[in-house]
Amino acid sequence: MTLEEQVKEVKRAIFGNTEHNDNGVIALYVEEVRAFLLDAGVSEAKLNSREVLGALVIGTSDLWNYQAGGVKYSDYFYKRVNQLTRGA
């Protein structure tokens, strides 16, 4: 999947459509989550597959819904990242 396709899928999951006007913030967050996944050891092949969509949605949602005092990724996000870094 391309980055553009992943951004559309993340928008659909979070907002229910792909036309939500977020001024590019969602695309930025998706790129940030992709960088996190890559740095954690997720392979390029997985990073560009549908397999990571759940992690992209959860991670992006965690960033989108941050509160004053900082961003905190959810426990589920960390568990999913761990799963994605293991196995083939």
Side-chain angles (χ1 to χ4, degrees), residues 28-42:
L28 176 69
Y29 288 170
V30 169
E31 289 182 61
E32 183 66 21
V33 174
R34 283 176 52 92
F36 185 99
L37 294 170
L38 190 61
D39 289 346
V42 174

Side-chain angles (χ1 to χ4, degrees), residues 2-83:
T2 66
L3 174 61
E4 183 178 284
E5 291 169 329
Q6 288 178 333
V7 170
K8 282 185 179 182
E9 290 298 321
V10 168
K11 282 185 173 187
R12 186 182 334 272
I14 294 174
F15 304 115
N17 64 61
T18 61
E19 302 304 318
H20 181 77
N21 185 10
D22 56 79
N23 296 318
V25 174
I26 293 296
L28 176 69
Y29 288 170
V30 169
E31 289 182 61
E32 183 66 21
V33 174
R34 283 176 52 92
F36 185 99
L37 294 170
L38 190 61
D39 289 346
V42 174
S43 70
E44 287 275 348
K46 282 186 184 180
L47 194 61
N48 295 317
S49 73
R50 293 189 66 80
E51 187 175 358
V52 300
L53 281 178
L56 289 177
V57 170
I58 296 299
T60 301
S61 181
D62 288 345
L63 294 176
W64 181 258
N65 293 308
Y66 75 91
Q67 297 180 7
V71 173
K72 183 176 188 280
Y73 282 121
S74 62
D75 290 338
Y76 176 80
F77 175 75
Y78 285 119
K79 288 176 186 176
R80 188 66 183 121
V81 170
N82 186 35
Q83 291 171 337

